[in-house]
Amino acid sequence: MKRIAAVITLLIVTVGTLFFAYDSQSEEQHDGFTAYRLIAHAMGSIREQPYTNAYEAMIANYEKGTRVFEIDFMLTSDRKAVARHEWTANMSKMLGQDEELPEDKQAGALTHDEFMNTPILGMYQPMDADGIMDVLAKYPDMYIVTDTKEQKDEDIQQVLKSLVDAAKKHDPTILNRVVVQIYNEPMLETVKEIYAFPSIIYTLYATQDSEAQVVDFVQKNDIDAVTMPEYKVNQNFVAKLKQAGAVTYVHTINDTDQVANYEKWGVYGVYSDVLTEQELDEMNTRFAWKP
């Protein structure tokens, strides 16, 4: 009987600890974009179509409760920043533009005018820096996360400069809701040369730095958040990032069961094509421990 009682006591303590962990996570206080656990990947899907980066996708997902939107940025051939994942024939086909564009325009950078006047899937509005800043001005609780697809420092800076210039036409304080995603340590200085953006996400899919190097960099530079692909996630790493002051996101997750599993590891949130902030709030994965 004593052995059974001991086992029962151990189970109660274990379950209680688990519930307490969930409850502690749910009660953590965050502000700015980190008040939200869901980041809409490429503005989120619309009618089950991902990667549109379209105005309608942004608004449709905002109306579902999402407040943070990751946006892919490329430069047009005349060096204007626009919301586009890549200049390839496959992307043109995915976005239903292969029949809209002549063959020689389907696999390369368009001009700004060509981009803005070629509807996505025949009905959705492409977005440029000015249009995105206009939306941010109209929705004061909305944030964007930049995913600059350009590789050269001067091109990355041109994308960010376009966003800064566009924001200043409306209200410079909009830039407080522009979260810049960096891909390596040197990029932080590249970004600072353009503007002192107050919020930074360090994405790890392209870096070869060790976990210890990432944690050290995060701590020394007050990085707000770290996002990583699934194969880089482990509980110890997530815990160390939290101690360094950063919340952790995982990308790209489209299933609530996966979200629940990562939450058990201490992961704070996810990038997703289809999930919404409301769905994460409604998930039955956080419990209040009441003895």
Side-chain angles (χ1 to χ4, degrees):
M1 290 296 292
K2 289 182 178 180
R3 182 175 297 179
I4 295 173
V7 171
I8 292 173
T9 300
L10 180 60
L11 285 173
I12 291 173
V13 170
T14 301
V15 173
T17 301
L18 178 61
F19 284 2
F20 180 78
Y22 276 129
D23 192 42
S24 296
Q25 179 167 304
S26 67
E27 291 181 357
E28 289 175 6
Q29 296 300 312
H30 298 279
D31 54 17
F33 79 96
T34 62
Y36 303 98
R37 298 179 183 272
L38 190 286
I39 298 178
H41 181 232
M43 294 196 196
S45 294
I46 182 167
R47 295 184 181 178
E48 300 183 354
Q49 176 63 57
Y51 288 104
T52 67
N53 287 286
Y55 168 80
E56 291 83 358
M58 195 177 200
I59 300 305
N61 287 296
Y62 179 90
E63 291 176 349
K64 293 177 183 177
T66 298
R67 293 294 179 266
V68 187
F69 297 83
E70 186 241 31
I71 303 175
D72 300 315
F73 284 101
M74 295 288 291
L75 292 175
T76 60
S77 59
D78 47 350
R79 296 189 65 75
K80 307 290 186 182
V82 296
R84 175 84 174 200
H85 186 267
E86 58 189 47
W87 298 116
T88 63
N90 284 339
M91 184 56 59
S92 294
K93 184 176 181 179
M94 179 186 293
L95 300 181
Q97 296 175 323
D98 51 330
E99 295 183 4
E100 301 268 353
L101 295 168
E103 188 173 351
D104 63 331
K105 293 285 187 178
Q106 293 177 22
L110 302 174
T111 67
H112 178 261
D113 284 345
E114 288 169 340
F115 175 82
M116 294 300 293
N117 290 295
T118 306
I120 297 167
L121 299 174
M123 67 183 84
Y124 301 133
Q125 177 61 48
M127 297 283 278
D128 61 5
D130 286 333
I132 291 165
M133 291 301 120
D134 184 60
V135 173
L136 282 177
K138 292 176 179 176
Y139 294 87
D141 59 346
M142 180 185 287
Y143 296 79
I144 66 166
V145 174
T146 66
D147 188 1
T148 48
K149 296 300 185 181
E150 301 293 346
Q151 300 297 310
K152 298 178 181 178
D153 286 352
E154 59 266 31
D155 293 340
I156 293 169
Q157 289 184 322
Q158 179 61 29
V159 168
L160 298 177
K161 185 177 184 299
S162 296
L163 294 175
V164 171
D165 291 344
K168 289 180 177 178
K169 293 178 184 178
H170 296 276
D171 177 358
T173 64
I174 292 172
L175 293 169
N176 293 334
R177 292 183 282 120
V178 176
V179 183
V180 176
Q181 192 168 250
I182 63 172
Y183 307 87
N184 51 60
E185 293 186 12
M187 187 175 167
L188 183 59
E189 295 306 315
T190 301
V191 169
K192 287 181 177 179
E193 289 176 7
I194 300 301
Y195 187 81
F197 293 92
S199 298
I200 299 290
I201 290 180
Y202 188 8
T203 184
L204 304 185
Y205 73 84
T207 184
Q208 299 300 313
D209 287 351
S210 68
E211 292 180 0
Q213 287 174 304
V214 172
V215 171
D216 183 63
F217 176 74
V218 164
Q219 191 164 34
K220 288 180 177 177
N221 293 281
D222 295 321
I223 303 298
D224 302 277
V226 172
T227 184
M228 66 187 78
E230 293 184 78
Y231 68 87
K232 289 200 172 187
V233 184
N234 67 73
Q235 285 180 283
N236 185 54
F237 188 25
V238 170
K240 288 181 177 179
L241 287 169
K242 183 177 180 180
Q243 290 174 354
V247 298
T248 303
Y249 293 86
V250 180
H251 60 81
T252 302
I253 308 299
N254 293 322
D255 180 83
T256 54
D257 288 339
Q258 285 184 282
V259 176
N261 287 333
Y262 283 124
E263 280 193 346
K264 293 174 185 176
W265 288 11
V267 169
Y268 180 72
V270 299
Y271 288 43
S272 181
D273 296 311
V274 297
L275 300 178
T276 66
E277 186 73 29
Q278 183 177 349
E279 285 179 291
L280 265 63
D281 286 342
E282 292 173 351
M283 281 173 47
N284 188 28
T285 59
R286 304 180 189 97
F287 305 91
W289 170 240
K290 297 180 180 179

